[in-house]
Amino acid sequence: MADFKIISDSSCDLPANILKQHDVSLVHYYVSLDGVKYQREYAEISPQYFYGRMRADSPYPKTSLPPTQEYIDAMRPALLAGKNVLCVCMTSKFSGSYQSSVTAANLLKEEFPERNVVVVDSLQCTMPQGVLVMEAAGLRGAGRSLEETAAALEAAKLGYRTYFTVDSLDALQRGGRIGKASGFLGTLLNVKPVLKLCDGELFPVAKIRGRKKAIAEIIDMACAEMGGRPEKYRVGLLHADCLGEILYMKEILENEKGVQADLPVFTVGTTIGTHIGPTVVGIGCYPRIEP
């Protein structure tokens, strides 16, 4: 079995049981609800509490990326134990965490010249980033080397697609992550934006009147992406405080579309939730990596 440590930043939103199962360590983002006190995502503030506050009094959250030292602190124990390290980071187009991790890796390579530290820019965040981490663990378990695993992730991430809808783009606009979706601002009442996350950016796809129709649209788009061969993809659902709608989506997928969502349901954490708000639901399809 290949022996390298897998690390990710907390924006991967992997459930705690999956992290434990695959021995994945997190470097935590920070979030503040008052602009003064910052708390570590998952470790000190839960998504449930966070979204409850957002819905109750509409605070303007702020996020802060992990400093380089925290990546060093996460990587060093593995290097001291004689292991190499693979670190999978949020897309560099959304955050500076990738650069912090690269800086940490370069410093540690000077300290441990016999070891290797590879940092992968996932070009993703939340569920698809988490899926890349899970795939890395699967490849490691199948005996693939650090370098082989990193190369497989680099190739696979280019085919990852996630479709989602939100009630409004206010949070994306306030957080400065609106990007190519800026043309969707100021839409008519009850028109819901449909967006796609791929290649590290958000792309506007459609404007649909009514949330239920928007949900149906993202399901259809994901199914079309798979081209009638869902067995070639890992399929997952994500939400921010909208679990009831996710169960509805899962039923449509399985009973009407004949597609099994084989991934655990992902709850969007506070880092990404700051920028999209508590109304997001999404579906992703990710080409399987053969071990």
Side-chain angles (χ1 to χ4, degrees):
M1 178 176 174
D3 195 16
F4 56 89
K5 177 66 177 177
I6 300 174
I7 294 170
S8 182
D9 47 48
S10 59
S11 62
C12 68
D13 291 335
L14 279 169
N17 64 313
I18 300 295
L19 293 170
K20 182 177 181 181
Q21 175 186 345
H22 295 302
D23 186 30
V24 175
S25 295
L26 291 186
V27 178
H28 296 271
Y29 273 83
Y30 291 81
V31 64
S32 171
L33 289 168
D34 59 12
V36 178
K37 180 183 178 182
Y38 280 81
Q39 296 173 286
R40 292 191 302 157
E41 181 177 30
Y42 292 111
E44 297 171 335
I45 183 171
S46 70
Q48 292 75 21
Y49 175 79
F50 176 77
Y51 291 124
R53 285 288 306 276
M54 287 192 82
R55 288 187 184 276
D57 54 18
S58 300
Y60 180 53
K62 296 181 180 180
T63 59
S64 177
L65 58 83
T68 297
Q69 186 59 49
E70 293 190 10
Y71 281 105
I72 291 174
D73 293 343
M75 296 172 179
R76 179 177 276 118
L79 299 172
L80 286 170
K83 296 182 179 181
N84 294 322
V85 172
L86 173 67
C87 186
V88 182
C89 293
M90 188 207 293
T91 170
S92 59
K93 297 180 182 181
F94 285 0
S95 169
S97 64
Y98 170 72
Q99 190 54 56
S100 291
S101 183
V102 169
T103 299
N106 289 337
L107 291 172
L108 288 169
K109 286 176 184 178
E110 294 180 5
E111 185 178 347
F112 298 92
E114 74 285 3
R115 304 261 62 88
N116 194 9
V117 181
V118 176
V119 181
V120 172
D121 178 355
S122 72
L123 292 184
Q124 308 293 335
C125 60
T126 192
M127 179 168 63
Q129 180 185 347
V131 175
L132 280 175
V133 174
M134 292 173 66
E135 294 282 28
L139 291 168
R140 180 184 60 185
R144 301 280 284 272
S145 69
L146 168 65
E147 293 76 16
E148 289 172 329
T149 299
L153 298 189
E154 292 286 358
K157 70 185 185 184
L158 301 176
Y160 278 24
R161 302 288 184 267
T162 307
Y163 297 90
F164 66 96
T165 185
V166 292
D167 276 352
S168 79
L169 297 175
D170 291 348
L172 278 166
Q173 184 182 21
R174 287 189 305 177
R177 299 299 191 275
I178 193 72
K180 293 180 173 61
S182 59
F184 276 13
L185 293 173
T187 55
L188 297 174
L189 182 66
N190 204 33
V191 172
K192 307 303 178 185
V194 171
L195 302 109
K196 175 173 67 173
L197 171 65
C198 66
D199 300 329
E201 295 189 74
L202 292 177
F203 295 88
V205 179
K207 293 181 281 189
I208 308 295
R209 188 174 294 278
R211 186 167 172 91
K212 192 170 183 178
K213 289 182 180 179
I215 289 174
E217 183 71 13
I218 63 175
I219 292 173
D220 287 344
M221 286 180 173
C223 290
E225 185 76 45
M226 291 183 279
R229 304 187 70 187
E231 72 279 0
K232 296 291 185 180
Y233 293 81
R234 305 203 70 174
V235 180
L237 299 164
L238 64 83
H239 72 103
D241 201 31
C242 303
L243 182 58
E245 288 176 313
I246 288 299
L247 298 177
Y248 165 73
M249 292 172 65
K250 185 176 177 68
E251 183 178 347
I252 292 177
L253 260 183
E254 296 180 352
N255 296 338
E256 297 183 18
K257 304 296 184 180
V259 175
Q260 298 294 315
D262 66 309
L263 294 167
V265 172
F266 277 69
T267 299
V268 178
T270 60
T271 298
I272 305 303
T274 293
H275 301 292
I276 59 177
T279 64
V280 66
V281 291
I283 177 171
C285 48
Y286 313 117
R288 293 182 180 273
I289 300 177
E290 295 299 326

